[in-house]
Each structure stands twice: as C-alpha cells, then as structure tokens.
Amino acid sequence: MSHKRMPRRRAALAVGGVAALGAAAFLLPHASASQDAGQDGRTPGGTGTARTLRATDAPGLDARLRKLLGDAFAGSYYDSGRQRLVVNVVSGDDDVVGQAEQAGAVVRQVANSAAELRAATRTLTTRAAVPGTSWAVDPRTDKVLVTADSTVTGAAWDRLRSAVRGLGPGMATLKKSAGTFRTFASGGDAIFSQAQGGGVRCSLGFNVTAADGRPAFLTAGHCGVAAEKWSDTQTGEPTATVDRAVFPGEGDFSLVTYDDPGTRAPSEVDTGDGRTVPVTRAAEATVGQAVFRMGSTTGLHDGRVTGLDATVNFRSETDPGGVDTVTGLIQTDVCAEPGDSGGPLFTQDGGALGLTSGGSGDCTGGGETFFQPVTTALRATGATLGGAGAGDQAGAGEQSGSDAGSASDAGSGSGDEAGAGVGGDPAGGGGDPSAAPSDGSRAGTADDGSPALTGTR
C-alpha cells in the first residue's frame, strides 16, 4: 500500500512518539498521585480498598480475579470515572469478597452467575438467530442485552421476544434499534478490489508479519471473502492477495499478504494528514475502556468498549433470508460507515485491539460498531503484529501477554442502540481517507492519565 513504502526517515520519526491529529492536541498527563492512592487516601491494594488503575492494567487484574474467584466470578467492567475495575460475584462468602477486594477490585454481589449468562446466550443462538439481532452479556446490569434492528418485525420479532421471555425473569433485556445493522465493507488506508458484481472498498487494519515471514496486513473477514486481490488505489493493479479469510463463524478477519516481499509495512495507524500513531502491542479490550477507530471513509472517531464476546447475526449477502452469525466480537459505541470495514480499533498509547466488522447508524447520528479482536486473529493466523522490514517486533504470544486476560463475560452497555451488520451494499462510499475530523472533536486525558488523542463521536 502506498503509505507502507515510506522512507526510513519517516519510519524512524514515526516510532518516536504519537503526533497530534489534525486540530487535536495532546494534553499533559494527570498528576501521578491519582495512580498511587485511592479516593479515601489509603494505599491501593489494602484490605477493603479498591486500587486506582489504568485501563491498560484492567485486563490483567480481570484475569487474576477469574482464577482467584472461580465459579463465584460473574464478569467485570472498567469504571473509567473512578479508574477502578468492578467485579461481579455470586457468592456471599466473606472470604471470596475479601480476596477480590484484597486484589484491588470493587466487589459487587449479583444474582446471575457467568455460567447462567453464557447458557442464556447459547439458548438465544439456538432459538433466536434472526437476521438483524445481536446479544452480549452486560456486566453493568448482570443480564444479557438483546438488540433487534428495524428490520426485525412480525413473526421474527415474536420469535425473538418469545426466546427472551423463555430465559426467565431477570435474565435478559430486549431493546429495539432504530437503525439497520450492516457490515461496513464498502481504519487505516483505503483498500480496493474489483470483485465479481462490483468493486469493494474496505480499510487496512494493522500491518503484520505472516508466519512464513512475508509482509502482510489484517482486515475484515467479510472483505477477504468478497475478493481475493486488493490494491491501494481504486483503479490500480493488485498489490496484495488474501491468504486466509474467516467469515462468518468464529470471527471476521482476513490475513492479506503483500505481493512484493520487499514491501516495508511499519507498525502504525495512518490517522490522516501525514500523521501516524505507532502500534506497540496487541491488547485485550475491557468493558468501559476508551478507544479510537480509524476508517478510510469517516476518519478518526472515539468512544468506549460496551461489550465483549458479542454474537452478531448479519443478514446474509449471498442467501436471501439467511443469516451469517459471527461470535466473539468487541462491542463499542463508536460510529462507522461503509468503507470503514477492517479498519483499526486502538488505544491512545498504541495498543491494537480490533478490526472493524459492522454496526448500526452512522457518524452523523451516531451508532454502535462491532470489532474482531486482534489477539484472536493473530493466534488463528500465526502472524505477529508489525510489518516485515519495520524493525524487531514482538511475537503474538509476547504481544498478548503484556495485556493478558479479558473480560469475556462482560458484555454490552445499556445504550438504546446496538449494532450488528446486515444487508448493505459492500461497495464503499467516498470520503477522503486522509481527512482529519473537523467537528465535534474532543480533547483531554485518557483513563490512565496519559495524553489523550482527540476524535469525534
């Protein structure tokens, strides 16, 4: 791709620090004292005192609590306002609660166990896989949040409502979305392919090195299924070939290898106007975490993670009336539009989180978007984050290890809309992929007190 073959000088400058985005500015970090003491002034980690921690540290604490609490663990989420991890437990045992508090979490006793909530999602998959629906466990309400888009009416709506009621009282919440769920094939830079039946436009996610050492990149699986050959220009010759594509099923990701083995593919996100964000590691997402998304159609936008391990029922593009179910996705309140598919979801400090899959709404009225976790794609393909020829990069195990653990029992937030992707034309819209956001920008500091990027909702 064009910006991937950049001079060594630019690559060297890119890894030196994160540049300001457009009119956005980076602010100074909060005083480090907030990381050293709780709101009550006591030392974090003491008995009965929750730790103040950065969002990047939340997955690690979540993983420890899963092992520590066992069957009593019922999900967790990151409270960005208080900078603390809230963990749900189903046991009233004082010893269990004490252990979780000693580890540094805010403990909340709930009625539904993680096993019961997972069983509820499996029941929905069996009985209510209706196109235009999605569900995920919501750790904030201790229920499964089920969402139907505007196309779910009549018998389909009755079927979904009956399945939700069949789970029993206090187990699930059913919401209706005003939008239409769709995949966003139409991030990073725009990529194009002349597929049968019309051109496809998507976004490049993250540069990686394939298991055999070839330079490659990750993008959405539904993009890779739609076409085999890809180019960085709409009318140019193909410069990359799909090696593996997964969609639907257990993910939405593609590994695409550059045809030229000498391609320099640095580990960074192109945020437009010649500015880049160095990508330093693959990381697990946490519910409540602040995130950024880049796409070739809509540019840079930000929001928060609202759910993990989400199931999305896309309306099939190839089978009228059929459904393409995808599992294991990250749910967010970040907007996206056609052409943004495959683009990167990342943190302000360079953590690679996901690849844009699909969602509802747009970047004018807002909406929600689902993402393929990067860690899952790396494990499945054997690739490592970082482009070949861009310097030493950590392996897949090393990358995910620094942010090990996830809140996979945590789920979607309680917003009125949830998105999956259904229908929609895979051909993308326009938009300048290098354009920086021009309105609705937000500046500030991140959850962890480090300098924050500025994006638009």
Side-chain angles (χ1 to χ4, degrees):
M1 303 300 160
S2 57
H3 86 289
K4 302 300 177 280
R5 301 173 183 270
M6 64 184 182
R8 290 180 180 273
R9 177 176 174 81
R10 180 182 167 192
L13 292 174
V15 299
V18 181
L21 305 178
F26 289 93
L27 304 184
L28 293 174
H30 289 310
S32 60
S34 65
Q35 305 298 324
D36 299 327
Q39 291 183 355
D40 57 8
R42 289 181 290 176
T43 301
T47 302
T49 302
R51 287 173 48 202
T52 300
L53 75 164
R54 297 173 298 180
T56 53
D57 296 329
L61 179 56
D62 172 89
R64 289 170 49 202
L65 290 170
R66 287 170 183 273
K67 295 179 180 179
L68 180 67
L69 300 178
D71 292 341
F73 181 87
S76 72
Y77 62 93
Y78 182 68
D79 183 339
S80 60
R82 301 174 65 193
Q83 292 183 287
R84 295 178 179 179
L85 186 73
V86 180
V87 59
N88 295 336
V89 298
V90 291
S91 171
D93 188 325
D94 289 341
D95 183 54
V96 170
V97 173
Q99 290 182 70
E101 291 179 334
Q102 183 68 36
V106 174
V107 179
R108 187 178 70 157
Q109 296 192 37
V110 295
N112 297 320
S113 69
E116 290 171 330
L117 292 169
R118 285 195 298 267
T121 62
R122 289 194 295 269
T123 297
L124 290 169
T125 299
T126 301
R127 300 180 181 177
V130 176
T133 60
S134 68
W135 47 78
V137 175
D138 181 356
R140 294 179 174 89
T141 63
D142 188 41
K143 296 180 181 180
V144 177
L145 178 63
V146 183
T147 306
D149 78 0
S150 59
T151 68
V152 182
T153 59
W157 171 256
D158 292 340
R159 174 184 168 189
L160 181 63
R161 184 168 56 180
S162 176
V164 170
R165 288 177 176 173
L167 298 175
M171 187 59 67
T173 301
L174 178 60
K175 291 183 177 290
K176 189 84 171 183
S177 170
T180 299
F181 300 168
R182 55 184 175 171
T183 50
F184 288 135
S186 151
D189 288 353
I191 53 176
F192 304 89
S193 182
Q194 298 302 316
Q196 184 176 4
V200 178
R201 170 178 173 154
C202 289
S203 296
L204 188 150
F206 298 98
N207 279 316
V208 298
T209 300
D212 62 3
R214 290 179 296 169
F217 63 85
L218 295 174
T219 189
H222 63 267
C223 297
V225 169
E228 181 184 10
K229 296 288 187 177
W230 292 85
S231 173
D232 58 353
T233 61
Q234 193 162 11
T235 59
E237 291 296 317
T239 56
T241 304
V242 174
D243 180 87
R244 180 179 179 184
V246 175
F247 179 86
E250 297 181 357
D252 184 3
F253 60 90
S254 293
L255 175 68
V256 186
T257 58
Y258 290 101
D259 295 337
D260 179 357
T263 299
R264 286 188 57 82
S267 187
E268 63 186 24
V269 174
D270 181 354
T271 56
D273 199 23
R275 297 179 172 89
T276 60
V277 173
V279 175
T280 59
R281 70 195 188 285
E284 302 285 356
T286 302
V287 171
Q289 181 179 22
V291 292
F292 291 84
R293 174 199 64 75
M294 185 65 193
S296 66
T297 299
T298 59
L300 183 71
H301 290 268
D302 70 324
R304 294 191 181 275
V305 175
T306 58
L308 300 176
D309 200 19
T311 295
V312 182
N313 297 298
F314 294 93
R315 190 175 302 280
S316 176
E317 293 284 343
T318 58
D319 178 18
V323 59
D324 289 335
T325 299
V326 182
T327 60
L329 301 182
I330 301 168
Q331 186 172 354
T332 75
D333 62 6
V334 186
C335 73
E337 295 182 10
D340 291 329
S341 275
L345 179 73
F346 60 101
T347 61
Q348 58 85 29
D349 63 345
L353 297 178
L355 308 166
T356 306
S357 177
S360 69
D362 53 39
C363 291
T364 299
E368 292 194 346
T369 303
F370 291 83
F371 297 82
Q372 163 67 48
V374 165
T375 51
T376 303
L378 291 174
R379 286 192 295 267
T381 61
T384 53
L385 190 67
D392 294 335
Q393 301 291 340
E398 295 174 279
Q399 294 160 353
S400 58
S402 62
D403 289 284
S406 65
S408 60
D409 293 316
S412 111
S414 55
D416 292 336
E417 286 191 17
V422 293
D425 184 355
D432 181 357
S434 66
S438 58
D439 57 6
S441 61
R442 304 188 307 131
T445 49
D447 296 332
D448 60 4
S450 56
L453 296 171
T454 302
T456 57
R457 289 283 187 178

